[in-house]
Amino acid sequence: MISKKNIVISLLLISSAKLHSEVNFVSYGWELFERVTDSRTNSLANANIAYPIAVTGAPLLNPALSNIYNNKIGITHQSRIAGMINSEFIGFNKSLPDSNWVSISLLYEGVSNIPDTRSVLLDWGADGVFGTFDVGEGNGVIDEGERLDINKIGYFSQNQFGLYGAISRPYRKWQVGLGVKLLFHTIDNHYGLGAGINIGAYRAFKNFHIGVVLNNSPSSGLIWDDGNIELSPGSLSVGMHHLISLEKYNLKINPIYKTNFLISDRTIDSKLLFNEIPFELFGALEVIYKRKIFFR
């Protein structure tokens, strides 16, 4: 039996943790769900939020596309920067009791051998002797006379594990989808747990398609083992796709566009709309010959 005394003590501990934690709004933290996907989506610059192709990574960009299933398992491995960054993606579809489908994705990204240089500086001041309290000692800046001890360089790793599920329903000629994402993030000996939601919509007008996605709605949060909380504000993605069919040449041309409207700058590629709203532009082109050969 759980006594009233234990309940009161537990509530006091939870309240104390909240009082000593910090809540920070950041513009990063959920890139795992934007970078790690299937190879075809990657080759299309992750711009295909309005392109209804039967790949397991499409619902990651727009949960409304989770109704386009292919009964296959998608597996993609990526290795970047001389093998320092490695990622894995597994995606598949699962049938539900109400004759619908849910798209499920498992994601991983790891960065190994990250140098930790926090203890490298021998911050002993201009005379190079510890404890004399001369000018420059303990100021955290390498001054004249100070040096670095490379033997104190340490290394650590960063790992991210993600689980994503998406489902969609038709609504007034639109396909509306909901995506739920869970994140487990480790940096050295620290770890964080997070959850977020994406809401997407998709509609087809003959050969013209529109996709709209509200990412991190209203925000996605990550709580760390020290009690600190990171909140990533939402963003709006708008995409278009137009099919150009040249039956005489057995060609299909698919230009794809996507614009991300952000609350704060995220990358050096962000531009400003009306000198106030940061946004990013993405574009891709896919040419299909006889439904067998693809140029992207």
Short mmCIF file of all heavy atoms in Angstrom, two decimals, residues 220-275:
data_model
loop_
_atom_site.label_atom_id
_atom_site.label_comp_id
_atom_site.label_asym_id
_atom_site.label_seq_id
_atom_site.Cartn_x
_atom_site.Cartn_y
_atom_site.Cartn_z
N SER A 220 7.60 20.92 -29.54
CA SER A 220 8.09 19.62 -29.10
C SER A 220 9.05 19.82 -27.94
O SER A 220 9.87 20.74 -27.96
CB SER A 220 8.80 18.89 -30.25
OG SER A 220 7.87 18.56 -31.26
N GLY A 221 8.93 18.97 -26.93
CA GLY A 221 9.72 19.16 -25.73
C GLY A 221 10.66 18.00 -25.46
O GLY A 221 10.38 16.86 -25.80
N LEU A 222 11.80 18.34 -24.84
CA LEU A 222 12.81 17.35 -24.47
C LEU A 222 13.24 17.65 -23.04
O LEU A 222 13.69 18.75 -22.75
CB LEU A 222 14.00 17.42 -25.42
CG LEU A 222 15.07 16.35 -25.28
CD1 LEU A 222 14.52 14.99 -25.70
CD2 LEU A 222 16.29 16.69 -26.14
N ILE A 223 13.05 16.70 -22.13
CA ILE A 223 13.45 16.88 -20.74
C ILE A 223 14.69 16.05 -20.46
O ILE A 223 14.73 14.86 -20.78
CB ILE A 223 12.30 16.52 -19.76
CG1 ILE A 223 12.75 16.74 -18.32
CG2 ILE A 223 11.78 15.10 -19.99
CD1 ILE A 223 11.63 16.67 -17.31
N TRP A 224 15.71 16.69 -19.88
CA TRP A 224 16.99 16.05 -19.63
C TRP A 224 17.07 15.49 -18.21
O TRP A 224 16.25 15.83 -17.35
CB TRP A 224 18.13 17.02 -19.88
CG TRP A 224 18.31 17.33 -21.33
CD1 TRP A 224 17.74 18.35 -22.03
CD2 TRP A 224 19.08 16.57 -22.27
NE1 TRP A 224 18.12 18.29 -23.36
CE2 TRP A 224 18.94 17.21 -23.54
CE3 TRP A 224 19.88 15.44 -22.17
CZ2 TRP A 224 19.57 16.74 -24.68
CZ3 TRP A 224 20.51 14.97 -23.31
CH2 TRP A 224 20.35 15.62 -24.54
N ASP A 225 18.08 14.66 -17.98
CA ASP A 225 18.20 14.00 -16.69
C ASP A 225 18.46 14.97 -15.55
O ASP A 225 18.22 14.65 -14.39
CB ASP A 225 19.31 12.94 -16.73
CG ASP A 225 20.64 13.50 -17.21
OD1 ASP A 225 20.64 14.57 -17.84
OD2 ASP A 225 21.69 12.89 -16.96
N ASP A 226 18.94 16.18 -15.85
CA ASP A 226 19.16 17.18 -14.80
C ASP A 226 17.93 18.04 -14.56
O ASP A 226 17.98 18.99 -13.77
CB ASP A 226 20.36 18.06 -15.14
CG ASP A 226 20.20 18.78 -16.46
OD1 ASP A 226 19.15 18.63 -17.12
OD2 ASP A 226 21.14 19.51 -16.86
N GLY A 227 16.82 17.73 -15.24
CA GLY A 227 15.58 18.47 -15.05
C GLY A 227 15.36 19.61 -16.02
O GLY A 227 14.25 20.17 -16.09
N ASN A 228 16.37 19.98 -16.80
CA ASN A 228 16.21 21.06 -17.76
C ASN A 228 15.33 20.62 -18.93
O ASN A 228 15.37 19.47 -19.36
CB ASN A 228 17.57 21.52 -18.29
CG ASN A 228 18.37 22.26 -17.24
OD1 ASN A 228 17.81 22.85 -16.31
ND2 ASN A 228 19.69 22.21 -17.33
N ILE A 229 14.54 21.55 -19.42
CA ILE A 229 13.58 21.26 -20.49
C ILE A 229 13.90 22.14 -21.70
O ILE A 229 14.12 23.34 -21.56
CB ILE A 229 12.14 21.53 -20.02
CG1 ILE A 229 11.79 20.62 -18.84
CG2 ILE A 229 11.14 21.31 -21.16
CD1 ILE A 229 10.44 20.91 -18.22
N GLU A 230 13.96 21.52 -22.87
CA GLU A 230 14.17 22.24 -24.13
C GLU A 230 12.90 22.15 -24.97
O GLU A 230 12.42 21.05 -25.25
CB GLU A 230 15.35 21.66 -24.90
CG GLU A 230 16.70 21.86 -24.23
CD GLU A 230 17.84 21.26 -25.03
OE1 GLU A 230 17.55 20.53 -26.00
OE2 GLU A 230 19.01 21.51 -24.69
N LEU A 231 12.36 23.28 -25.36
CA LEU A 231 11.17 23.33 -26.19
C LEU A 231 11.54 23.87 -27.56
O LEU A 231 12.20 24.91 -27.67
CB LEU A 231 10.10 24.23 -25.55
CG LEU A 231 9.53 23.77 -24.21
CD1 LEU A 231 8.50 24.77 -23.70
CD2 LEU A 231 8.91 22.39 -24.32
N SER A 232 11.16 23.13 -28.61
CA SER A 232 11.42 23.57 -29.98
C SER A 232 10.13 24.14 -30.57
O SER A 232 9.13 23.42 -30.66
CB SER A 232 11.90 22.39 -30.84
OG SER A 232 13.10 21.85 -30.33
N PRO A 233 10.11 25.41 -30.94
CA PRO A 233 8.88 26.01 -31.46
C PRO A 233 8.47 25.39 -32.79
O PRO A 233 9.28 24.81 -33.51
CB PRO A 233 9.26 27.49 -31.62
CG PRO A 233 10.75 27.49 -31.75
CD PRO A 233 11.24 26.34 -30.91
N GLY A 234 7.20 25.54 -33.11
CA GLY A 234 6.67 24.96 -34.33
C GLY A 234 7.10 25.70 -35.59
O GLY A 234 7.60 26.82 -35.53
N SER A 235 6.90 25.06 -36.72
CA SER A 235 7.17 25.66 -38.01
C SER A 235 6.12 25.18 -39.01
O SER A 235 5.49 24.14 -38.80
CB SER A 235 8.58 25.31 -38.51
OG SER A 235 8.70 23.91 -38.71
N LEU A 236 5.95 25.94 -40.07
CA LEU A 236 4.96 25.61 -41.09
C LEU A 236 5.66 25.29 -42.40
O LEU A 236 6.51 26.06 -42.87
CB LEU A 236 4.00 26.79 -41.30
CG LEU A 236 2.95 26.63 -42.40
CD1 LEU A 236 1.96 25.52 -42.05
CD2 LEU A 236 2.22 27.95 -42.64
N SER A 237 5.32 24.13 -42.99
CA SER A 237 5.88 23.73 -44.28
C SER A 237 4.77 23.70 -45.32
O SER A 237 3.70 23.13 -45.07
CB SER A 237 6.54 22.35 -44.19
OG SER A 237 7.60 22.35 -43.27
N VAL A 238 5.03 24.30 -46.46
CA VAL A 238 4.09 24.30 -47.58
C VAL A 238 4.80 23.77 -48.81
O VAL A 238 5.89 24.26 -49.16
CB VAL A 238 3.53 25.72 -47.85
CG1 VAL A 238 2.56 25.70 -49.03
CG2 VAL A 238 2.86 26.28 -46.61
N GLY A 239 4.22 22.77 -49.46
CA GLY A 239 4.87 22.16 -50.61
C GLY A 239 3.94 21.98 -51.78
O GLY A 239 2.71 21.94 -51.62
N MET A 240 4.54 21.86 -52.97
CA MET A 240 3.78 21.66 -54.20
C MET A 240 4.48 20.62 -55.08
O MET A 240 5.70 20.46 -55.02
CB MET A 240 3.65 22.99 -54.97
CG MET A 240 2.85 24.05 -54.27
SD MET A 240 2.75 25.58 -55.24
CE MET A 240 4.46 26.10 -55.20
N HIS A 241 3.68 19.94 -55.86
CA HIS A 241 4.19 18.96 -56.83
C HIS A 241 3.30 19.00 -58.06
O HIS A 241 2.07 19.05 -57.95
CB HIS A 241 4.21 17.56 -56.23
CG HIS A 241 4.25 16.47 -57.26
ND1 HIS A 241 3.19 15.61 -57.48
CD2 HIS A 241 5.20 16.12 -58.16
CE1 HIS A 241 3.51 14.77 -58.45
NE2 HIS A 241 4.71 15.06 -58.89
N HIS A 242 3.92 18.98 -59.22
CA HIS A 242 3.16 19.00 -60.47
C HIS A 242 3.71 17.94 -61.42
O HIS A 242 4.90 17.93 -61.72
CB HIS A 242 3.24 20.38 -61.14
CG HIS A 242 2.44 20.46 -62.41
ND1 HIS A 242 1.07 20.40 -62.44
CD2 HIS A 242 2.83 20.60 -63.70
CE1 HIS A 242 0.64 20.50 -63.69
NE2 HIS A 242 1.70 20.62 -64.47
N LEU A 243 2.84 17.04 -61.84
CA LEU A 243 3.24 15.96 -62.75
C LEU A 243 3.16 16.43 -64.19
O LEU A 243 2.12 16.91 -64.65
CB LEU A 243 2.33 14.75 -62.55
CG LEU A 243 2.50 13.60 -63.55
CD1 LEU A 243 3.91 13.02 -63.48
CD2 LEU A 243 1.45 12.53 -63.33
N ILE A 244 4.27 16.28 -64.90
CA ILE A 244 4.32 16.58 -66.34
C ILE A 244 4.56 15.25 -67.05
O ILE A 244 5.60 14.63 -66.92
CB ILE A 244 5.44 17.58 -66.66
CG1 ILE A 244 5.23 18.87 -65.86
CG2 ILE A 244 5.48 17.87 -68.16
CD1 ILE A 244 6.37 19.86 -66.00
N SER A 245 3.55 14.81 -67.80
CA SER A 245 3.63 13.51 -68.46
C SER A 245 3.86 13.69 -69.96
O SER A 245 3.09 14.37 -70.64
CB SER A 245 2.33 12.73 -68.22
OG SER A 245 2.40 11.45 -68.80
N LEU A 246 4.95 13.09 -70.45
CA LEU A 246 5.27 13.10 -71.88
C LEU A 246 5.16 11.66 -72.38
O LEU A 246 6.13 10.92 -72.48
CB LEU A 246 6.67 13.65 -72.11
CG LEU A 246 6.94 15.06 -71.57
CD1 LEU A 246 8.39 15.46 -71.78
CD2 LEU A 246 6.01 16.09 -72.20
N GLU A 247 3.91 11.25 -72.69
CA GLU A 247 3.66 9.85 -73.04
C GLU A 247 4.37 9.45 -74.34
O GLU A 247 4.72 8.29 -74.52
CB GLU A 247 2.16 9.63 -73.16
CG GLU A 247 1.41 9.83 -71.85
CD GLU A 247 -0.06 9.55 -72.00
OE1 GLU A 247 -0.49 9.20 -73.13
OE2 GLU A 247 -0.79 9.69 -70.99
N LYS A 248 4.56 10.41 -75.22
CA LYS A 248 5.24 10.10 -76.48
C LYS A 248 6.65 9.58 -76.25
O LYS A 248 7.15 8.73 -77.01
CB LYS A 248 5.27 11.35 -77.36
CG LYS A 248 5.95 11.16 -78.70
CD LYS A 248 5.94 12.43 -79.52
CE LYS A 248 6.65 12.24 -80.85
NZ LYS A 248 6.66 13.50 -81.67
N TYR A 249 7.29 10.09 -75.20
CA TYR A 249 8.68 9.70 -74.90
C TYR A 249 8.76 8.78 -73.68
O TYR A 249 9.86 8.52 -73.19
CB TYR A 249 9.53 10.95 -74.66
CG TYR A 249 9.53 11.90 -75.82
CD1 TYR A 249 8.72 13.05 -75.81
CD2 TYR A 249 10.32 11.67 -76.94
CE1 TYR A 249 8.72 13.94 -76.87
CE2 TYR A 249 10.31 12.55 -78.03
CZ TYR A 249 9.50 13.67 -77.98
OH TYR A 249 9.48 14.54 -79.05
N ASN A 250 7.62 8.33 -73.18
CA ASN A 250 7.58 7.47 -71.98
C ASN A 250 8.27 8.14 -70.79
O ASN A 250 8.95 7.49 -70.00
CB ASN A 250 8.24 6.12 -72.25
CG ASN A 250 7.41 5.26 -73.19
OD1 ASN A 250 6.19 5.15 -73.04
ND2 ASN A 250 8.07 4.66 -74.17
N LEU A 251 8.07 9.45 -70.67
CA LEU A 251 8.70 10.22 -69.60
C LEU A 251 7.65 10.82 -68.68
O LEU A 251 6.58 11.25 -69.12
CB LEU A 251 9.55 11.36 -70.18
CG LEU A 251 10.91 11.00 -70.78
CD1 LEU A 251 11.56 12.25 -71.37
CD2 LEU A 251 11.82 10.37 -69.75
N LYS A 252 7.99 10.85 -67.39
CA LYS A 252 7.21 11.58 -66.40
C LYS A 252 8.18 12.47 -65.62
O LYS A 252 9.19 12.00 -65.10
CB LYS A 252 6.48 10.63 -65.45
CG LYS A 252 5.33 9.90 -66.12
CD LYS A 252 4.55 9.08 -65.11
CE LYS A 252 3.35 8.41 -65.79
NZ LYS A 252 2.55 7.61 -64.82
N ILE A 253 7.84 13.76 -65.58
CA ILE A 253 8.70 14.75 -64.93
C ILE A 253 7.97 15.28 -63.70
O ILE A 253 6.82 15.71 -63.77
CB ILE A 253 9.05 15.90 -65.90
CG1 ILE A 253 9.72 15.33 -67.16
CG2 ILE A 253 9.97 16.91 -65.21
CD1 ILE A 253 9.98 16.37 -68.23
N ASN A 254 8.66 15.24 -62.58
CA ASN A 254 8.05 15.63 -61.30
C ASN A 254 8.88 16.72 -60.62
O ASN A 254 9.82 16.42 -59.87
CB ASN A 254 7.95 14.42 -60.36
CG ASN A 254 7.04 13.34 -60.90
OD1 ASN A 254 5.83 13.49 -60.91
ND2 ASN A 254 7.63 12.25 -61.37
N PRO A 255 8.58 18.00 -60.87
CA PRO A 255 9.21 19.07 -60.08
C PRO A 255 8.55 19.17 -58.71
O PRO A 255 7.32 19.06 -58.58
CB PRO A 255 8.97 20.32 -60.92
CG PRO A 255 7.75 20.00 -61.73
CD PRO A 255 7.74 18.52 -61.96
N ILE A 256 9.36 19.38 -57.67
CA ILE A 256 8.88 19.40 -56.29
C ILE A 256 9.45 20.63 -55.59
O ILE A 256 10.63 20.97 -55.75
CB ILE A 256 9.32 18.13 -55.54
CG1 ILE A 256 8.96 16.88 -56.33
CG2 ILE A 256 8.70 18.07 -54.16
CD1 ILE A 256 9.69 15.65 -55.86
N TYR A 257 8.60 21.29 -54.79
CA TYR A 257 9.02 22.47 -54.05
C TYR A 257 8.52 22.38 -52.61
O TYR A 257 7.46 21.83 -52.34
CB TYR A 257 8.48 23.76 -54.69
CG TYR A 257 8.72 23.86 -56.18
CD1 TYR A 257 7.75 23.44 -57.08
CD2 TYR A 257 9.92 24.37 -56.67
CE1 TYR A 257 7.97 23.52 -58.46
CE2 TYR A 257 10.14 24.46 -58.05
CZ TYR A 257 9.16 24.03 -58.93
OH TYR A 257 9.38 24.10 -60.27
N LYS A 258 9.30 22.98 -51.71
CA LYS A 258 8.86 23.07 -50.31
C LYS A 258 9.46 24.32 -49.68
O LYS A 258 10.61 24.68 -49.94
CB LYS A 258 9.30 21.85 -49.50
CG LYS A 258 8.80 21.88 -48.05
CD LYS A 258 9.24 20.64 -47.27
CE LYS A 258 10.69 20.70 -46.89
NZ LYS A 258 11.07 19.64 -45.91
N THR A 259 8.63 25.01 -48.88
CA THR A 259 9.08 26.18 -48.13
C THR A 259 8.77 25.96 -46.65
O THR A 259 7.65 25.60 -46.30
CB THR A 259 8.38 27.46 -48.61
OG1 THR A 259 8.62 27.63 -50.02
CG2 THR A 259 8.90 28.67 -47.86
N ASN A 260 9.77 26.18 -45.81
CA ASN A 260 9.59 26.11 -44.36
C ASN A 260 9.56 27.53 -43.80
O ASN A 260 10.50 28.31 -44.00
CB ASN A 260 10.73 25.34 -43.69
CG ASN A 260 10.65 23.85 -43.95
OD1 ASN A 260 9.62 23.33 -44.38
ND2 ASN A 260 11.75 23.15 -43.71
N PHE A 261 8.47 27.87 -43.11
CA PHE A 261 8.36 29.16 -42.43
C PHE A 261 8.67 28.92 -40.95
O PHE A 261 8.01 28.13 -40.28
CB PHE A 261 6.96 29.75 -42.60
CG PHE A 261 6.62 30.06 -44.04
CD1 PHE A 261 5.92 29.15 -44.81
CD2 PHE A 261 7.03 31.26 -44.61
CE1 PHE A 261 5.60 29.43 -46.13
CE2 PHE A 261 6.73 31.55 -45.93
CZ PHE A 261 6.02 30.64 -46.70
N LEU A 262 9.70 29.62 -40.44
CA LEU A 262 10.23 29.36 -39.12
C LEU A 262 9.91 30.50 -38.16
O LEU A 262 9.65 31.63 -38.57
CB LEU A 262 11.75 29.17 -39.19
CG LEU A 262 12.26 28.26 -40.32
CD1 LEU A 262 13.78 28.34 -40.41
CD2 LEU A 262 11.81 26.83 -40.09
N ILE A 263 9.97 30.17 -36.88
CA ILE A 263 9.82 31.20 -35.86
C ILE A 263 11.17 31.84 -35.55
O ILE A 263 11.25 33.03 -35.27
CB ILE A 263 9.19 30.59 -34.58
CG1 ILE A 263 7.73 30.19 -34.87
CG2 ILE A 263 9.23 31.58 -33.42
CD1 ILE A 263 7.01 29.57 -33.70
N SER A 264 12.24 31.06 -35.64
CA SER A 264 13.58 31.58 -35.42
C SER A 264 14.53 30.93 -36.41
O SER A 264 14.25 29.86 -36.94
CB SER A 264 14.06 31.31 -33.98
OG SER A 264 14.06 29.92 -33.72
N ASP A 265 15.67 31.59 -36.67
CA ASP A 265 16.66 31.05 -37.60
C ASP A 265 17.17 29.71 -37.10
O ASP A 265 17.44 29.53 -35.91
CB ASP A 265 17.83 32.02 -37.76
CG ASP A 265 17.44 33.25 -38.56
OD1 ASP A 265 16.48 33.15 -39.34
OD2 ASP A 265 18.10 34.29 -38.40
N ARG A 266 17.36 28.76 -38.05
CA ARG A 266 17.91 27.46 -37.69
C ARG A 266 19.23 27.18 -38.39
O ARG A 266 20.08 26.51 -37.84
CB ARG A 266 16.91 26.35 -38.02
CG ARG A 266 15.72 26.31 -37.09
CD ARG A 266 14.96 25.03 -37.28
NE ARG A 266 14.50 24.85 -38.65
CZ ARG A 266 13.83 23.79 -39.07
NH1 ARG A 266 13.54 22.82 -38.24
NH2 ARG A 266 13.43 23.70 -40.32
N THR A 267 19.39 27.66 -39.62
CA THR A 267 20.60 27.37 -40.37
C THR A 267 21.10 28.64 -41.03
O THR A 267 20.41 29.66 -41.08
CB THR A 267 20.33 26.31 -41.46
OG1 THR A 267 19.50 26.90 -42.49
CG2 THR A 267 19.60 25.11 -40.88
N ILE A 268 22.32 28.55 -41.57
CA ILE A 268 22.88 29.71 -42.27
C ILE A 268 22.18 29.92 -43.61
O ILE A 268 22.38 30.95 -44.25
CB ILE A 268 24.39 29.54 -42.48
CG1 ILE A 268 24.69 28.27 -43.29
CG2 ILE A 268 25.12 29.50 -41.16
CD1 ILE A 268 26.15 28.11 -43.64
N ASP A 269 21.38 28.93 -44.04
CA ASP A 269 20.65 29.06 -45.30
C ASP A 269 19.30 29.73 -45.14
O ASP A 269 18.58 29.95 -46.12
CB ASP A 269 20.44 27.68 -45.93
CG ASP A 269 21.76 27.01 -46.29
OD1 ASP A 269 22.66 27.73 -46.75
OD2 ASP A 269 21.88 25.79 -46.10
N SER A 270 18.91 30.05 -43.91
CA SER A 270 17.61 30.70 -43.69
C SER A 270 17.62 32.10 -44.31
O SER A 270 18.59 32.84 -44.21
CB SER A 270 17.32 30.80 -42.19
OG SER A 270 17.23 29.52 -41.61
N LYS A 271 16.48 32.43 -44.94
CA LYS A 271 16.30 33.76 -45.51
C LYS A 271 15.20 34.47 -44.74
O LYS A 271 14.55 33.89 -43.88
CB LYS A 271 15.96 33.65 -46.99
CG LYS A 271 16.98 32.85 -47.80
CD LYS A 271 16.59 32.79 -49.25
CE LYS A 271 17.53 31.88 -50.03
NZ LYS A 271 18.91 32.37 -49.97
N LEU A 272 14.99 35.76 -45.03
CA LEU A 272 13.99 36.53 -44.31
C LEU A 272 12.90 37.01 -45.27
O LEU A 272 13.18 37.51 -46.35
CB LEU A 272 14.62 37.75 -43.62
CG LEU A 272 15.51 37.46 -42.41
CD1 LEU A 272 16.09 38.77 -41.87
CD2 LEU A 272 14.72 36.76 -41.32
N LEU A 273 11.65 36.81 -44.85
CA LEU A 273 10.49 37.29 -45.60
C LEU A 273 9.96 38.53 -44.89
O LEU A 273 9.67 38.48 -43.69
CB LEU A 273 9.42 36.20 -45.67
CG LEU A 273 8.14 36.55 -46.43
CD1 LEU A 273 8.43 36.78 -47.91
CD2 LEU A 273 7.10 35.45 -46.26
N PHE A 274 9.83 39.64 -45.63
CA PHE A 274 9.41 40.92 -45.05
C PHE A 274 10.36 41.37 -43.94
O PHE A 274 9.96 42.07 -43.00
CB PHE A 274 7.98 40.85 -44.50
CG PHE A 274 6.96 40.37 -45.49
CD1 PHE A 274 6.19 39.26 -45.21
CD2 PHE A 274 6.79 41.02 -46.70
CE1 PHE A 274 5.25 38.80 -46.12
CE2 PHE A 274 5.84 40.57 -47.62
CZ PHE A 274 5.07 39.47 -47.33
N ASN A 275 11.62 40.93 -44.03
CA ASN A 275 12.65 41.29 -43.05
C ASN A 275 12.35 40.82 -41.64
O ASN A 275 12.96 41.28 -40.68
CB ASN A 275 12.88 42.81 -43.05
CG ASN A 275 13.45 43.31 -44.36
OD1 ASN A 275 14.27 42.65 -44.97
ND2 ASN A 275 13.00 44.49 -44.79
#
